[in-house]
Structures are given as C-alpha cells and as structure tokens.
Amino acid sequence: MEKTDWKRIGWLTAATLVLGAIIGACAGLLTLLLYGVEYMMLGFIESEFIPGAFTVPAVRRIASVTLGLGVAGVIWYLLRTKTEKVPSVKKAVNGGRMPFWQTIVHVVLQIFIVGSGASIGREVAPRELGAMLAQRFCDIFHIVDGEGDAHGVLDRRMVVAVAAGAGLGGVYNAPLAGMFFAVEILLVDVTLEKVAFGLGMSATAAFVATAIKGEHMFYDIGAMQMNSTPSLMLFALLCGTACGVVGALFRKGSQWAESHKPTGRSLMWQMPIAGLVTGLVSIVVPQVMGNGRAAAQLGFSTFIPETADTSGAAQSAASAAASPWTFLAGSDGAPGSVVNAGTPLELNRLWMLLGVLALTFVAKALVTLMTIRSGASGGVLQPGIALGSTLGTMLGLLWLFVFPVDSVTACALIGAAALLSASQQAPLMAMCLVMELTEAPIEFFVPVGMAVAASAFVSSGLLHRLG
C-alpha cells in the first residue's frame, strides 16, 4: 500500500488557499477596474440591466474606443519594443519568464481597451496575472519543474497552469471552467491530483473575487424552458455540427490575425484606426462593442411568445426591460418595432430578426479579428460565446417552425457552448464556462454536451484538413 505523502498534500493545500486567495483578490480588482474604465470612458457600467453601450451616444462611443485603442497602441509599442516582452500563458507554463511590472501594465491595458469599447475578450488578463503571481510564489518557495525541486513535492509547471486557470475562474466566478482550462488546455493532462488542485484553487479565487466585485448575473437566460426535449437533442446535433465548422474557421481567423500583428511603429496608427472603425460600426450595431456580452445577450434574450404555451418559457418584465432588443427598439420598446423580439413570430418579422442577428454575427466576428490584427492583446472566449449565441439563435428561429416546443434561448445556449468548444478546441472548458456564466439548469448539460461533442468532432477534423 502506497504511503500518503502528507508533505505534498500540505504544500498543495497551502498553494490552493494562499495563491488562490491572492489571485481571487486580483481578479476582483480587475473587474472593478473594468467598471471604472467603462464609467469614465462611456458613462455606464455593464450589468444584467444594461449589458452593453446601448444608451451611450454614438459620438461618445466612437471617441471612447478610438482614444482607448490609440493610447494602448502607444504604450504597447513602447512595452513591446523597449522592454522585456511578456510571453503567452502557455509559454509561461513551459518556463517562459513573465516580467513583473511589464506583465501588470500589459494586463491593465487589456482591461482598459475592453472597458473603452474594443471588441476583444478580457479573460487573458487575469490568466496572465495568475501565471505571473504563481511564478513569484514558486520563486519564493524554491519550487522548480519536475521531481528535483527544493522540497520534492510540487511541480512548478502545474502550479503556474493551475494559477492561470484560477484567474479565469475568479474573474467569471466559474471554478469548473478555470480548472478545465488548466488541465485541458495548458497541461493537457487530466489526473485526479491536477483536477483537485485546479478546482480547489479556482474555487478559492472565485470565492474571494466575488466578495470583492459582488455576485451578479452575467447572462440572463430567463426566457428559456426549464426542461429539455427530444427535439432539442436533435437540434443540438445539427447546431453542434454547424458551430463546429464556423468555430474552426473563427479559430483559424484569430490565429491568422494574431500572427500578422504589427511589430513596429505601425502599431501606433493601426490600433486607433481599428478603434475608429469599431466606433463607426457601433453606430448601427452598438452591441459590437466590448468583450461580447451585449452581442451574446441579444441571442439569449430572443423570446417568441407563441412558443410559451408549449415550451413553458416565459420572459419576466425585468428581463424584457433589460433585453438588447428593447434597447435597439428605442426608449419606448414598442411591440410594433421591427427589432423587438417579444412579439409573435410572423414571416416578415422573422426576416427582421434574422437580419439583425446576422448583422451582429458578421460585425462581431470581423471587428474582433480586425482588433486582434491591429495589435491589441486579449482573448476570444467571450467573442466566441457571442458568435455562438447569435448563430444558435438564428438556427433556433428556423427550428421553431418545425418544433415550436423548444425555446430560442435554449438554442442560443447550445450554440454558445458548441462554437466556443470548436474555437478553443476545449469541449469540457467550453461547456462548463457557458453553463456557469448562464447558471443554466443542470438538466441542460445533456443537450449542451451533445452539441459540444458534435462540434469538437467536426472542428477537429476540419482543422486537421486546413492544417
């Protein structure tokens, strides 16, 4: 019988609680920083009541995102050409050194551009900060890679990966997603110890972060039926297949944009131009701004009352008032508006809804890739959820004509997880992140899991063919 290594367990516990709490505090402060930048630059703070910059005047939207990316472009030029470069989280896990103050500036800039309206995710920032803090933790306690560390108990690579995942789990209050990000994407090694270590640190970070930033609903899916159906399982397979193709293409597009970033002085003019284009697009599509919350909520909030009697779905007055469709319809939110989703589904209205969703999908994808290509640093998790939600909603609106028993919001939920799975090539992380951010009923793990499996299968084959 193998002897219990209490020394190792003690070190794992200490790292879980101490490092997890520090990362959680930083994740909470980064969220508050985002809110502060949004209030300063755009005059609003994103929440379940205002998911995007819908109420911000168009001129201010243009000025904010242009100024934000302009300032960031200058600082990133200096940071990348005059100082030690900040490696990616994957490189940090494999031994790349993350410089202290350069990493902090790099992280703050990511939050700053998202708060000013740039179309890019903010989830890379807490992951990088978590990885940097983990390296310092390992330095203090002389923890190195492999079996030959000073204590013979911890692996530096595992600690850095788990800490990066804890940053994700803390900022989104999603410990399962944080754990799977560490073991599925960074370590590519799912063992009982790594899962327990990752889940413990992510849960600790999420608890501390929530105590600082508060607990708020991220995505409102109140317009969804409470029970799954056999027809929804069929939809999950079809939607997962479609999202697998689109997600793979989005992944290739983001990789291309990342590899073609400017490295010299052109960074200082390409980024403000990307900001200006984003601002101009936001005149027509305000939900394109930010990390994708507004665009994703557009899909989740699509509600067709005709299906309520059969699906059991119902939209509360509060959810309807906070819906992006209501903001797009105008201050009165009149039921007669062509973009108000809270009315019976007629053929002419169907085309209007599909048109708005398709425009949002295309605009979000192109503007996000343009922002990355211009030189901005950030993630594509939230943009991926936004694309999946809008694509799932478009397919769901057509699905209702055949199976009215299902709700559009359930279709959006399935699409969000499936496309994120394909774009990240991480089905477990994608499924858990979407389920945690939406607080969806546990029963929907079944259709969502089916869609994620189909998406992962299709996207992996397509990416292999594309090379």
Side-chain angles (χ1 to χ4, degrees):
M1 184 175 179
E2 188 175 343
K3 185 179 179 180
T4 302
D5 190 345
W6 292 108
K7 186 177 181 181
R8 183 177 180 84
I9 292 175
W11 273 99
L12 287 170
T13 303
T16 296
L17 298 177
V18 176
L19 194 53
I22 295 172
I23 293 171
C26 291
L29 292 175
L30 286 178
T31 302
L32 296 181
L33 175 63
L34 174 72
Y35 295 161
V37 174
E38 283 180 337
Y39 185 77
M40 178 182 67
M41 300 289 285
L42 291 165
F44 90 106
I45 298 176
E46 68 176 55
S47 66
E48 61 267 37
F49 306 109
I50 307 178
F54 298 102
T55 59
V56 180
V59 173
R60 186 166 184 174
R61 290 200 295 264
I62 297 172
S64 173
V65 68
T66 304
L67 178 62
L69 284 175
V71 171
V74 174
I75 300 176
W76 260 319
Y77 167 73
L78 297 173
L79 198 65
R80 294 169 184 173
T81 60
K82 308 298 182 182
T83 70
E84 186 178 354
K85 291 184 178 180
V86 179
S88 67
V89 171
K90 284 190 176 182
K91 290 181 179 178
V93 170
N94 293 319
R97 183 68 174 177
M98 302 198 77
F100 184 76
W101 71 264
Q102 292 95 329
T103 299
I104 292 177
V105 173
H106 182 63
V107 164
V108 169
L109 281 177
Q110 293 176 59
I111 301 298
F112 175 71
I113 63 171
V114 173
S116 66
S119 179
I120 198 167
R122 62 182 172 102
E123 67 279 349
V124 172
R127 297 194 315 234
E128 290 178 338
L129 190 57
M132 187 272 287
L133 291 171
Q135 288 185 344
R136 298 309 183 277
F137 178 88
C138 291
D139 290 344
I140 293 172
F141 295 103
H142 308 290
I143 298 170
V144 299
D145 289 324
E147 298 295 332
D149 63 282
H151 306 285
V153 288
L154 288 186
D155 184 344
R156 184 186 184 100
R157 184 172 180 270
M158 179 178 69
V159 174
V160 175
V162 165
L168 173 67
V171 79
Y172 287 130
N173 194 23
L176 283 173
M179 177 270 291
F180 278 121
F181 175 80
V183 301
E184 188 180 24
I185 296 180
L186 297 179
L187 295 172
V188 198
D189 182 20
V190 182
T191 66
L192 180 60
E193 181 181 79
K194 290 180 175 65
V195 168
F197 187 32
L199 187 57
M201 191 180 294
S202 287
T204 302
F207 176 79
V208 174
T210 300
I212 293 173
K213 65 184 177 63
E215 186 172 0
H216 309 291
M217 181 187 301
F218 201 87
Y219 292 124
D220 179 10
I221 59 167
M224 187 175 74
Q225 79 255 31
M226 295 305 297
N227 299 304
S228 181
T229 61
S231 57
L232 196 61
M233 295 295 291
L234 177 60
F235 176 84
L237 285 174
L238 298 175
C239 182
T241 301
C243 287
V245 175
V246 176
L249 295 176
F250 182 63
R251 180 180 178 85
K252 293 295 291 186
S254 60
Q255 289 175 340
W256 173 87
E258 187 70 33
S259 64
H260 286 77
K261 282 183 176 181
T263 57
R265 294 181 181 275
S266 58
L267 180 71
M268 293 188 287
W269 61 263
Q270 288 193 31
M271 284 186 61
I273 288 179
L276 177 61
V277 173
T278 302
L280 293 174
V281 171
S282 75
I283 296 175
V284 180
V285 193
Q287 61 271 26
V288 80
M289 297 186 73
N291 63 3
R293 183 175 187 173
Q297 191 60 60
L298 184 74
F300 292 133
S301 294
T302 303
F303 175 65
I304 309 300
E306 278 186 344
T307 66
D309 294 337
T310 50
S311 71
Q315 189 176 40
S316 68
S319 293
S323 167
W325 292 104
T326 301
F327 288 110
L328 292 175
S331 59
D332 57 354
S337 170
V338 295
V339 295
N340 192 309
T343 53
L345 186 61
E346 301 169 353
L347 193 57
N348 64 332
R349 191 168 300 281
L350 169 67
W351 291 115
M352 292 295 180
L353 294 173
L354 289 175
V356 173
L357 290 163
L359 180 61
T360 301
F361 178 89
V362 173
K364 189 63 182 176
L366 294 180
V367 172
T368 300
L369 295 179
M370 175 195 65
T371 303
I372 297 171
R373 171 64 178 78
S374 73
S377 293
V380 290
L381 286 186
Q382 291 298 333
I385 291 176
L387 296 179
S389 174
T390 50
L391 179 58
T393 301
M394 287 188 280
L395 296 175
L397 286 169
L398 300 175
W399 186 257
L400 288 190
F401 281 98
V402 183
F403 296 100
V405 69
D406 298 317
S407 66
V408 183
T409 302
C411 298
L413 177 74
I414 289 170
L419 196 144
L420 183 63
S421 168
S423 64
Q424 294 294 309
Q425 289 296 283
L428 295 174
M429 186 277 294
M431 177 172 63
C432 290
L433 181 60
V434 172
M435 293 293 286
E436 286 176 304
L437 288 177
T438 58
E439 300 180 15
I442 195 169
E443 181 178 347
F444 283 86
F445 264 110
V446 178
V448 168
M450 184 71 72
V452 164
S455 175
F457 178 78
V458 170
S459 62
S460 63
L462 179 57
L463 288 170
H464 179 73
R465 287 178 175 272
L466 294 175

